[in-house]
Structures are given as C-alpha cells and as structure tokens.
Amino acid sequence: MRFQTFLQPAALRVAFIAACLFPAWLMAATHNIVMSAETLPNGQPAYKLLSHSSDNGSVPGYAAEATIPGPTLFIKTGDKIKVQLTNNTQSPVSFSAPGLSTGNAAAAAPGQTKSYQLKANKPGTYAYQDDKAAMLGLFGAIVVDEPGGQIQSFVDGDGKIVPIDRSRLNKEFVLFMVGSTFWGSEISSDGNQKPLWTNPDLGAYQDDLLRFHVLAIGPGHTFHLHAHRWIQPGSTQTASPHIIDTHILNSQNNSHVFTVKAGTGVGPGVWQFHCHLISHMQSGMNGRIHVVSCDSGKSADSIAGASPSGAIFGHDSDHPGLATFIVSDEPASWFRSARGDALSPVTHTKSLEIIPPGSSVHFVMSDTAGVHTITSLLWPSEAGHNDHGGDHFMIPFDEAKAYRGGAILKLNVPGLYVFTCKIHPFMFAAVIVDDPATDGLDLGNTIDMVSGIKNLPTSSDLATCLLHTFFVTTVPGNWQNFTSPEPWKTVYPDVDVKVDIGTVNLQDVLHTRYGDNINLKQLGKPAVPGVGEVWVDTQFEKTAGKTKPGTITVVDTSNWKLKRKIALPQINLNNPHNMWPNRDHSVVYTTQWFDNKLTAINQKNGKLISNVQVGDSPSHEMTLPNTDDITVAINGENDVVIIPAGTTNINRALLTQSHGQAPGDPHGHWISADGKRIITPNINTHDAGFYDVEDGKIVARTATGDGQHGAHPIAIGMLPDSSKVYAANLLHHSITVMDENDGHFIKNINLIEHYNPISGDITGPIGILPIQSPVSPDGKVMVTASYGGQLVVIDTRTDTIVKTLPCDPGCHGANFGAKKGGGYYAYVTNKFSNRLIVIDPDPNGDGDLSDAEVAGAVTLVADNSVPKDDTVSNMAGYGGQGVVALPNVYNGWAQNLNSQWSAGLTDQQRNPVQ
C-alpha cells in the first residue's frame, strides 16, 4: 500500500517558527551550478548539469545526460545562482532567465566557458534558455519556491480547496510547449529527475498529489488537461477561487504552475493533455496522463516519448528516436536536419533524414520569420492505410492552417516520405524509414501523392524524377551556373535503395535517367532590344550585410546589361518574391514572402521608401488599374489587403473564404482591366476565388484541377478583355480555364497528357509543375513557367498547347514586357540557375505561335561595374522568382502610363486591346 509523505509535527513547527522569525534574505542560499551545452545524437543542442552545490546542502538528483528540457533548478525566494557554462557545441550558446538574470555575460563561443548570475526575487517557475537556439532545445526551468515550502493549493473531489506544501507532493512534471511539441521531465518525491522527452505519457497513482510546471518557448499556446481542475493563478487560494482546466500562455517565456490530485472526482483512467489551439493539436501537440488505482497492480511509471538520443540512422538505441528538421528561411535548407552538417557528406543534402520504423520526425520553426505548413507530398502507399499505430500517426499529414510552430509524427511503415510547405511549395524534407533487416535503404514498393496519384511504383520515371527534383532543389551544388565553362554535374547519394524491382544504386539510376556532366547551352543576348527595364527578385542571392537572403536585380533591356543590385541591408530584406510598379513607375513594390512586409523602392535609385507590415507571408502584389491602390495577397492567411495609393496603411481586406471555412492562403492573384474584379488561386482550398473589389463580396469559388484535393492552384492569368481566367495547378500539372464573369468552369488543360509517368516516354509538349502563367497583353498567347524545366506555349484562342520550350531547373516566374518595334517578350526566371530567359512567342508577328522561340538569355550575376547597396557574398544570381517589366504594358495599366514610359512603345503596345 502507498502512503502520502508528510512532515513530522516537530519539523512543521520548526519550519513555521523559522519562517516567522527570519526574513527570506537571512535564509537565502547561494547555488553554484556547473553546466555544459552538448550536441545530442540527432543534432539538437541541450544543457547538461555537471554539478550543483548549495550552502544549504540540499540539491536534487539530476540526469547524467544532456536533456531537453534541461535540468530543473529548484531554489527559494532570495537565493542567488551562479552558473558556469561550458559550450561543447559548434555554435555560440548563452544562458539567460527572463525575470531573474542580472548582469550576465555574452554568449560562450564553441569551447569557451562563461559565467552568469541570477537572483530569485519572486516565487514562480521561470524558463532559462539560450537567446537564439531556445526553440531547438536549449531551455530548462528554474522553480523559485517560498522559503516555507508553501505551493499552490489543489481542488479536492468534493470541491474543497486544500492548501499544501511541496513536501507532500508525489511527483512534479515540467512540460515545455515548443512549436507543436511538448518536451517533458519528471521530478520524483525524493528529488530525482527523469527526462520524458517528447509528448510523454505521464503516470500517477490515484490520489497522488501532482504539481505541473507548464512553460512556453516561442509563440504562445493554450494548455488543457482533461478530467482535472485547478485554481486559476492570481485567484484566492482559499475561499471561492476561480477553478479552471485550461490556461493561455500568451507570450514567449510565459509559465503556469498548478497542483492537482490525480483522478480526483473521476477515478482511474487515461486523460489527454494538449494545446487547445486546433492547428497545434492537429500537428501533434498532445500527450496523456494515465492514472491507475493503487491496488490495481498496474504501473504508474511515466513513459518517455521519442528522444533525440533514441534510434536514428547512425545511432543505435532501444528507445524510439527523433529526427528533427529546423524550418528556415535559408535557401536549399528550408527544412534542415539538425544534424545536416554531419549527414551531408553522404547525403549531399541537409534535408534528408533516415530513421527506423517506430521513430518520429519532428519539425520546429526556429529559424524563420514566415509562417508555414508541414504537409505530406508523397508517402509509402501502405502508410496511407492508417492502421499501423502511433499516437501521432496520420499519413498523409496536412496542417490546415499556416502558422509559426512545427509538427511531430511517428512513422512506422518503411519507405520514402517527402514533406513540403503549402505556402512555399519548393521547401522539401525527405525521410527514409528504413528497416535495418533489408538490403539497401527502403523506398517502398509504391508511393501515393497528395495530387491523387495512387500506387506509383518507386522505380517509375515520375518517382525518380521527383527524387531528382528533390536533390536539385536542396543541393546548391546541383544548381546550374551559366557563368562557368564547366559542364553541369549533379551529385546524388551513392547508396543502394530498395524499390519495387529490387535493390538498385540511387546515384546510377538518376545519372542514367537525367544525365551527368551536361554541357550547358550558353545563350546570347536577344538580337532585338526590349523597352525599358526588367526587375527580377533574385530571392536566394546573399549579401554580406544581411542575415536573410534575397536581392532585386535590374536589367536594362536596351542593351541587356545589369543596371543595379538592390539588397536593402538596413531592413534585412528577406526572400523578396514578387514585384509590381505604381502608375507613374516611380515606385516598385516587392513582397517579403518569408516575412510579413511589403517594401516600396525608388525606381530611379533603388533606395528604400517604406517597409510596411501587411500580414504573414505576403506573396504577390498588383495595383488596381483604375485607382493605383496596391493589393497584396496574404499567402499565409486568408485575405487580399488593399493599401490606398500614396499611403502605407491598410484600408481594408477582402476575405478569400467565408467565416468558418478553411483559410484560402491566396498566392498569385490577377486583376481585371477595369479594376473591379480580383481573382485568387487559393492553395489551401484547391479553388479560385472571384471577388468584387467594390463591395468585397465573394462572387464565385471554382474548384480547380478537376476538383482534386491537393491540386495546389498557385497563379492566375487573364485575357486582356477579362473574359477568361486561367489558374495554374502546381501539383495537378494542369491549367484550369474559367469564365471571368461568374467563375464557371470551362475546361482543364492537361499539361502531362503526353507524358508516361511509368516509362518516362514523352510524345508531345508537356509541362510538369506549372507556376506563373501570364497571358500576353494582346491576349494571343499564354506562357507557363514549369518547375520541371519546361516553358509551355498555349494558344488562348483554342486553349491548347502549341509547343514546349526548354527552361532551367526550378523554372518559376514569367511576365510580359514590350519588345522594341512591336510585339512582346516573355521574361522567365529560374530558381536554380543564374540567368533570365527571354521568350519571343511570335518572332515574325504573323500570329503563328508554332515558331515561338527562346530569343536569348541575360546573366543575373553582377560584376564589379554594377551599382550595389551591399556586397554579394554567396548564391550570386540565384533564386529568380518574381519578375516585372517596366513599362507595364498590360491592358488597363498601359493606358495610364505617363509620357516618359510610353515614349518607346508602339501604338498597339500603348493600347493592347483594339
């Protein structure tokens, strides 16, 4: 039989007398704590307790290893803490405790030791942490108790409020809410600490007295524990307190402490605790507490969750492991394994992890200023049957809302899993769940895809094409460099993999199918000049004065030379994505897609005009042709915001979905020539939205991509008379054609009709993974930039594919500009090459699109003669995405050009629809 632990009456009298006669400062102790920062086997950093001495002689029993959360430090009000920290990681590490730190030193460099001081002035539970890597694992708790031992009262089964002191507790649980994961530890009644790692299953006997310390690191959360109630903080601890079962931790480093009696009023059972924000709970932020009867014979031991020190590739363990991906703004490493530097000599990418069945994959948004989703792109077909167990097992996995958090899920079925972000769909993380008993790494026999494809053999061309795309996207060394005379050489892991036809060498298969040491065709400049300038968001280019990537490159189309590089280091310009000018072209706007800003730039000198917060992950902007107001699609949210011309304040927002519906997450919208209608591609709801600008009402919502879940409509094109609308469906490989007036569906253009996904045979023009698809200002042709490396030319009279032209890897942005003497050029950007491609869809002006051609290309790499506001340091010229030509010659905008910008245009270009 179990008994509660009570102080003897004599000891109680001594404690009471001491508390009455001596103030806290006379009873205060000094604690000398020696810690280190270590790197765990999965690459996450963690604090380790080396020694703890106190002049009152009482210290807890700590874990012998580095843990997440770090060791919990128990002190009393008035105590002083001296911390000596040695940094055994490869990055600077600091130690601070908001609310307790005093005069602390700077971060300790790798191999360095620093000292820090804390003063416990107020009771409570406080987080200590590293200033930069807290969300990744460098955090722990400091519990400051009253000198007399009093703690939070609990609510008994009859509703009575019972005051207690700490000596009566059976267990304490420390739970950190970080991203979308609980990290926990347990402190027994004798003070020994035990790491519980991620989303633990807590254990207790019925009527055990339990104290919970719940803390938040990073964005806020709402903690909820089923079947138990406690007293709200700040409420009276005696008469008629406010009783709660949920508490909001609404700011970083917030904490909540309470005491409960296990199973009181409900008896034994299994009860869930979780974040009450639906998107967080959906992402895996939940655990359980099992309460057992004392005489049941069942164990009340807590069960630890997946651990950074558990079983993963290269580290054997009997405990389930955890592979962690850091979500980042960093090009190529958007999903970066925490141990990516250690794995990349073999994998060549930092975005691939390998775990055994039963271990978990964990995502934490610790290095990004944007919002994201964690979404399954493909997975082993068997895994989708959803009958393989695991508390957080849900394949396909999809977060319904973009936010700053993360995800955690257990993977039990061997095979290849690839995850993406719906907001930024070139972000990739791959996980191979490998059965150690098989030869080669398991890719599975077949895979399913979010676009609806089922049971695709892993040896098929489409499957290996996607693997090739993954390794091009996530390995900068595989990007095409047109400033080098060397052939394009691609590197892949030289490993055997198990697929449906047996065991094959991955590198050999990909080189055989997609080539190696390919001589890149160096294109000359177009023979006929353009008119004006072309502005390109070179989104991945890095400069010395910034921590975030991205520049803007300006091309003079009269001579095809670079005119300027714009980095805006004073605002740390972050992943500039798409651009549009105001009416007189004195201002060019760009969105910061991995941030929340719309940036206005002086066209003449490239200087910053304004930097305005507009919403999470803004993607595209366009002006209303009738008012010059700027409209911005808020890709990470649910609206298009409008800023009146000449101002910097949002006037109103057009909601892309009605109240109660899933957020639309609009991306590349377009506007009718009269400025009365906005059409958005809603990536999260697989439809196009038609909106009346004047009253803000939703006119229509039309399913795209044959209504397929996961079609991912990403960009809109429109005829100049606004009669037809086109939506490019990235993952459905199609263009949906709709009527602009009422949004009704007309047809789908299948861009892979002539592609055999099994054999790879191509019998006609194709476009894999279409993105920007503008219609020429005269309405005759649409050019679709396809991620798979194709430019698709479509005749808008018949809505049929005319031909395919070659493009570079990551072909992305497309927009039309005026060609000198008449006609139009389509300017095309590529994420994974460093040049701008120029397309002439009708070289001789006869209306026959079959002779569309690549007219030339322009390097986006600046030499020393090009004016810059910062020094290019890496990835020169890469990341081409948004592109816009000045003058703006689309119908509705061309008619409003001033004489300066219209002077070089023909009469037809000044008035495209005649």
Side-chain angles (χ1 to χ4, degrees), residues 790-827:
Q790 305 88 24
L791 286 163
V792 184
V793 179
I794 295 175
D795 188 332
T796 55
R797 294 169 298 180
T798 59
D799 292 329
T800 56
I801 302 173
V802 176
K803 68 187 303 184
T804 296
L805 298 171
C807 198
D808 298 338
C811 190
H812 184 105
N815 242 328
F816 283 93
K819 176 183 173 185
K820 187 175 182 179
Y824 300 95
Y825 281 136
Y827 297 106

CSV table of all heavy atoms in Angstrom, one decimal, residues 790-827:
chain,number,residue,atom,x,y,z
A,790,GLN,N,10.3,23.3,-68.1
A,790,GLN,CA,9.6,23.5,-69.4
A,790,GLN,C,8.9,24.8,-69.4
A,790,GLN,O,8.4,25.3,-68.4
A,790,GLN,CB,8.6,22.4,-69.7
A,790,GLN,CG,9.1,21.0,-69.6
A,790,GLN,CD,9.0,20.4,-68.3
A,790,GLN,OE1,8.2,20.8,-67.4
A,790,GLN,NE2,9.8,19.4,-68.0
A,791,LEU,N,8.9,25.4,-70.6
A,791,LEU,CA,8.1,26.6,-70.9
A,791,LEU,C,7.0,26.2,-71.8
A,791,LEU,O,7.3,25.8,-73.0
A,791,LEU,CB,8.9,27.7,-71.5
A,791,LEU,CG,9.9,28.4,-70.5
A,791,LEU,CD1,10.9,29.2,-71.3
A,791,LEU,CD2,9.1,29.4,-69.6
A,792,VAL,N,5.7,26.3,-71.4
A,792,VAL,CA,4.6,25.8,-72.2
A,792,VAL,C,4.0,27.0,-72.9
A,792,VAL,O,3.6,28.0,-72.3
A,792,VAL,CB,3.6,25.1,-71.3
A,792,VAL,CG1,2.5,24.5,-72.2
A,792,VAL,CG2,4.3,23.9,-70.5
A,793,VAL,N,3.9,26.9,-74.2
A,793,VAL,CA,3.2,27.9,-75.0
A,793,VAL,C,1.8,27.5,-75.3
A,793,VAL,O,1.6,26.4,-76.0
A,793,VAL,CB,4.0,28.2,-76.3
A,793,VAL,CG1,3.3,29.3,-77.2
A,793,VAL,CG2,5.4,28.6,-76.0
A,794,ILE,N,0.8,28.3,-74.9
A,794,ILE,CA,-0.6,27.9,-75.1
A,794,ILE,C,-1.3,28.9,-75.9
A,794,ILE,O,-1.2,30.1,-75.6
A,794,ILE,CB,-1.3,27.7,-73.7
A,794,ILE,CG1,-0.7,26.6,-72.9
A,794,ILE,CG2,-2.8,27.6,-73.8
A,794,ILE,CD1,-1.2,26.4,-71.5
A,795,ASP,N,-2.0,28.5,-76.9
A,795,ASP,CA,-2.9,29.4,-77.8
A,795,ASP,C,-4.2,29.6,-77.0
A,795,ASP,O,-5.0,28.7,-76.8
A,795,ASP,CB,-3.1,28.7,-79.1
A,795,ASP,CG,-3.8,29.6,-80.1
A,795,ASP,OD1,-4.5,30.5,-79.7
A,795,ASP,OD2,-3.6,29.4,-81.3
A,796,THR,N,-4.4,30.9,-76.7
A,796,THR,CA,-5.6,31.2,-75.9
A,796,THR,C,-6.9,31.3,-76.7
A,796,THR,O,-8.0,31.3,-76.1
A,796,THR,CB,-5.4,32.6,-75.2
A,796,THR,OG1,-5.1,33.6,-76.2
A,796,THR,CG2,-4.2,32.6,-74.2
A,797,ARG,N,-6.8,31.2,-78.0
A,797,ARG,CA,-8.0,31.1,-78.8
A,797,ARG,C,-8.6,29.7,-78.7
A,797,ARG,O,-9.8,29.6,-78.6
A,797,ARG,CB,-7.7,31.4,-80.3
A,797,ARG,CG,-7.2,32.9,-80.5
A,797,ARG,CD,-6.7,33.0,-81.9
A,797,ARG,NE,-5.5,32.2,-82.2
A,797,ARG,CZ,-4.9,32.1,-83.3
A,797,ARG,NH1,-5.3,32.8,-84.4
A,797,ARG,NH2,-3.8,31.3,-83.4
A,798,THR,N,-7.7,28.7,-78.6
A,798,THR,CA,-8.2,27.3,-78.6
A,798,THR,C,-8.0,26.7,-77.2
A,798,THR,O,-8.5,25.6,-77.0
A,798,THR,CB,-7.5,26.5,-79.7
A,798,THR,OG1,-6.1,26.5,-79.4
A,798,THR,CG2,-7.9,27.1,-81.0
A,799,ASP,N,-7.2,27.4,-76.4
A,799,ASP,CA,-6.8,26.8,-75.1
A,799,ASP,C,-6.1,25.4,-75.2
A,799,ASP,O,-6.5,24.5,-74.6
A,799,ASP,CB,-7.9,26.8,-74.1
A,799,ASP,CG,-8.4,28.2,-73.7
A,799,ASP,OD1,-7.6,29.1,-73.7
A,799,ASP,OD2,-9.6,28.3,-73.4
A,800,THR,N,-5.2,25.4,-76.2
A,800,THR,CA,-4.4,24.1,-76.4
A,800,THR,C,-3.0,24.5,-76.4
A,800,THR,O,-2.5,25.6,-76.7
A,800,THR,CB,-4.8,23.5,-77.8
A,800,THR,OG1,-4.6,24.5,-78.8
A,800,THR,CG2,-6.2,23.1,-77.8
A,801,ILE,N,-2.2,23.4,-76.1
A,801,ILE,CA,-0.7,23.6,-76.0
A,801,ILE,C,-0.2,23.6,-77.5
A,801,ILE,O,-0.5,22.7,-78.2
A,801,ILE,CB,-0.1,22.4,-75.2
A,801,ILE,CG1,-0.6,22.4,-73.8
A,801,ILE,CG2,1.4,22.6,-75.2
A,801,ILE,CD1,-0.2,21.2,-73.0
A,802,VAL,N,0.6,24.6,-77.8
A,802,VAL,CA,1.2,24.7,-79.1
A,802,VAL,C,2.6,24.0,-79.1
A,802,VAL,O,2.9,23.2,-80.0
A,802,VAL,CB,1.4,26.1,-79.5
A,802,VAL,CG1,2.1,26.2,-80.9
A,802,VAL,CG2,0.0,26.8,-79.6
A,803,LYS,N,3.4,24.3,-78.1
A,803,LYS,CA,4.8,23.7,-78.1
A,803,LYS,C,5.3,23.9,-76.7
A,803,LYS,O,4.8,24.7,-75.8
A,803,LYS,CB,5.7,24.3,-79.1
A,803,LYS,CG,6.0,25.8,-78.9
A,803,LYS,CD,6.8,26.4,-80.0
A,803,LYS,CE,8.1,25.7,-80.4
A,803,LYS,NZ,8.9,26.4,-81.5
A,804,THR,N,6.4,23.2,-76.4
A,804,THR,CA,7.2,23.4,-75.2
A,804,THR,C,8.6,23.8,-75.5
A,804,THR,O,9.2,23.3,-76.5
A,804,THR,CB,7.3,22.0,-74.4
A,804,THR,OG1,6.0,21.6,-74.0
A,804,THR,CG2,8.2,22.2,-73.2
A,805,LEU,N,9.1,24.8,-74.8
A,805,LEU,CA,10.5,25.3,-75.0
A,805,LEU,C,11.3,24.9,-73.7
A,805,LEU,O,10.7,24.8,-72.6
A,805,LEU,CB,10.5,26.8,-75.1
A,805,LEU,CG,9.7,27.4,-76.4
A,805,LEU,CD1,9.6,28.9,-76.3
A,805,LEU,CD2,10.5,27.0,-77.6
A,806,PRO,N,12.6,24.8,-73.9
A,806,PRO,CA,13.4,24.4,-72.7
A,806,PRO,C,13.5,25.5,-71.7
A,806,PRO,O,13.6,26.7,-72.1
A,806,PRO,CB,14.7,24.0,-73.3
A,806,PRO,CG,14.8,24.8,-74.6
A,806,PRO,CD,13.4,24.9,-75.1
A,807,CYS,N,13.5,25.2,-70.4
A,807,CYS,CA,13.8,26.1,-69.4
A,807,CYS,C,14.8,25.5,-68.4
A,807,CYS,O,15.2,24.3,-68.6
A,807,CYS,CB,12.5,26.5,-68.6
A,807,CYS,SG,12.5,28.0,-67.7
A,808,ASP,N,15.2,26.2,-67.4
A,808,ASP,CA,16.2,25.7,-66.5
A,808,ASP,C,15.5,25.1,-65.2
A,808,ASP,O,14.3,25.3,-65.1
A,808,ASP,CB,17.1,26.9,-66.0
A,808,ASP,CG,17.9,27.5,-67.2
A,808,ASP,OD1,18.1,26.8,-68.2
A,808,ASP,OD2,18.3,28.7,-67.0
A,809,PRO,N,16.2,24.4,-64.4
A,809,PRO,CA,15.6,23.8,-63.2
A,809,PRO,C,15.0,24.9,-62.3
A,809,PRO,O,15.5,26.0,-62.1
A,809,PRO,CB,16.8,23.2,-62.5
A,809,PRO,CG,17.8,22.9,-63.5
A,809,PRO,CD,17.7,24.1,-64.5
A,810,GLY,N,13.8,24.5,-61.8
A,810,GLY,CA,13.1,25.5,-60.9
A,810,GLY,C,12.5,26.7,-61.7
A,810,GLY,O,12.3,27.7,-61.2
A,811,CYS,N,12.2,26.5,-63.0
A,811,CYS,CA,11.5,27.5,-63.8
A,811,CYS,C,10.3,28.0,-63.0
A,811,CYS,O,9.5,27.2,-62.6
A,811,CYS,CB,11.1,26.9,-65.1
A,811,CYS,SG,10.6,28.0,-66.4
A,812,HIS,N,10.2,29.3,-62.9
A,812,HIS,CA,9.2,29.8,-61.9
A,812,HIS,C,8.5,31.0,-62.4
A,812,HIS,O,7.3,31.0,-62.6
A,812,HIS,CB,10.0,30.2,-60.6
A,812,HIS,CG,9.1,30.6,-59.5
A,812,HIS,ND1,8.7,29.9,-58.4
A,812,HIS,CD2,8.4,31.8,-59.3
A,812,HIS,CE1,7.9,30.5,-57.6
A,812,HIS,NE2,7.7,31.7,-58.2
A,813,GLY,N,9.1,32.2,-62.6
A,813,GLY,CA,8.4,33.4,-62.8
A,813,GLY,C,8.3,33.7,-64.3
A,813,GLY,O,9.2,33.4,-65.1
A,814,ALA,N,7.2,34.4,-64.7
A,814,ALA,CA,7.0,34.8,-66.1
A,814,ALA,C,6.2,36.0,-66.1
A,814,ALA,O,5.2,36.1,-65.4
A,814,ALA,CB,6.4,33.7,-66.9
A,815,ASN,N,6.6,37.0,-66.9
A,815,ASN,CA,5.8,38.2,-67.2
A,815,ASN,C,6.2,38.8,-68.5
A,815,ASN,O,7.3,38.6,-69.0
A,815,ASN,CB,6.0,39.2,-66.0
A,815,ASN,CG,4.7,39.5,-65.3
A,815,ASN,OD1,3.6,39.4,-65.8
A,815,ASN,ND2,4.8,39.8,-64.0
A,816,PHE,N,5.2,39.5,-69.1
A,816,PHE,CA,5.4,40.1,-70.4
A,816,PHE,C,5.9,41.5,-70.3
A,816,PHE,O,5.5,42.3,-69.4
A,816,PHE,CB,4.2,40.0,-71.3
A,816,PHE,CG,3.9,38.6,-71.8
A,816,PHE,CD1,3.1,37.7,-71.1
A,816,PHE,CD2,4.4,38.2,-73.0
A,816,PHE,CE1,2.8,36.5,-71.6
A,816,PHE,CE2,4.2,36.9,-73.5
A,816,PHE,CZ,3.4,36.1,-72.8
A,817,GLY,N,6.7,41.9,-71.3
A,817,GLY,CA,7.1,43.3,-71.5
A,817,GLY,C,7.2,43.6,-73.0
A,817,GLY,O,7.1,42.7,-73.8
A,818,ALA,N,7.4,44.9,-73.3
A,818,ALA,CA,7.3,45.3,-74.7
A,818,ALA,C,8.6,45.0,-75.4
A,818,ALA,O,9.7,45.2,-74.8
A,818,ALA,CB,7.0,46.8,-74.7
A,819,LYS,N,8.5,44.6,-76.6
A,819,LYS,CA,9.6,44.3,-77.5
A,819,LYS,C,9.8,45.6,-78.4
A,819,LYS,O,8.7,46.1,-78.9
A,819,LYS,CB,9.4,43.1,-78.3
A,819,LYS,CG,10.4,42.8,-79.4
A,819,LYS,CD,10.0,41.5,-80.2
A,819,LYS,CE,10.9,41.2,-81.3
A,819,LYS,NZ,10.4,40.1,-82.1
A,820,LYS,N,11.0,46.1,-78.6
A,820,LYS,CA,11.2,47.3,-79.4
A,820,LYS,C,10.6,47.1,-80.8
A,820,LYS,O,11.0,46.1,-81.4
A,820,LYS,CB,12.6,47.7,-79.4
A,820,LYS,CG,12.9,49.0,-80.1
A,820,LYS,CD,14.3,49.4,-80.0
A,820,LYS,CE,14.6,50.8,-80.6
A,820,LYS,NZ,16.0,51.2,-80.5
A,821,GLY,N,9.8,48.0,-81.2
A,821,GLY,CA,9.3,47.9,-82.6
A,821,GLY,C,8.0,47.2,-82.7
A,821,GLY,O,7.4,47.2,-83.7
A,822,GLY,N,7.5,46.6,-81.6
A,822,GLY,CA,6.2,45.9,-81.6
A,822,GLY,C,6.4,44.5,-81.2
A,822,GLY,O,7.4,43.8,-81.3
A,823,GLY,N,5.2,44.0,-80.6
A,823,GLY,CA,5.2,42.6,-80.1
A,823,GLY,C,5.7,42.6,-78.6
A,823,GLY,O,5.9,43.7,-78.0
A,824,TYR,N,5.8,41.4,-78.1
A,824,TYR,CA,6.1,41.3,-76.7
A,824,TYR,C,7.2,40.2,-76.4
A,824,TYR,O,7.3,39.2,-77.2
A,824,TYR,CB,4.9,40.9,-75.9
A,824,TYR,CG,3.8,42.0,-76.0
A,824,TYR,CD1,2.8,41.8,-77.0
A,824,TYR,CD2,3.8,43.1,-75.2
A,824,TYR,CE1,1.8,42.8,-77.1
A,824,TYR,CE2,2.8,44.1,-75.3
A,824,TYR,CZ,1.8,43.9,-76.3
A,824,TYR,OH,0.9,44.9,-76.4
A,825,TYR,N,7.9,40.4,-75.4
A,825,TYR,CA,8.8,39.3,-74.9
A,825,TYR,C,8.2,38.8,-73.6
A,825,TYR,O,7.6,39.5,-72.8
A,825,TYR,CB,10.2,39.9,-74.5
A,825,TYR,CG,11.1,40.1,-75.7
A,825,TYR,CD1,11.9,41.2,-75.7
A,825,TYR,CD2,11.3,39.1,-76.6
A,825,TYR,CE1,12.8,41.4,-76.8
A,825,TYR,CE2,12.2,39.3,-77.7
A,825,TYR,CZ,12.9,40.4,-77.8
A,825,TYR,OH,13.8,40.6,-78.8
A,826,ALA,N,8.3,37.5,-73.3
A,826,ALA,CA,8.0,36.9,-72.0
A,826,ALA,C,9.4,36.7,-71.3
A,826,ALA,O,10.3,36.1,-71.8
A,826,ALA,CB,7.3,35.6,-72.2
A,827,TYR,N,9.5,37.3,-70.1
A,827,TYR,CA,10.7,37.2,-69.3
A,827,TYR,C,10.5,36.1,-68.3
A,827,TYR,O,9.5,36.1,-67.5
A,827,TYR,CB,11.0,38.6,-68.6
A,827,TYR,CG,11.3,39.7,-69.6
A,827,TYR,CD1,10.4,40.7,-69.9
A,827,TYR,CD2,12.5,39.7,-70.3
A,827,TYR,CE1,10.6,41.7,-70.8
A,827,TYR,CE2,12.8,40.7,-71.3
A,827,TYR,CZ,11.9,41.7,-71.5
A,827,TYR,OH,12.1,42.7,-72.4
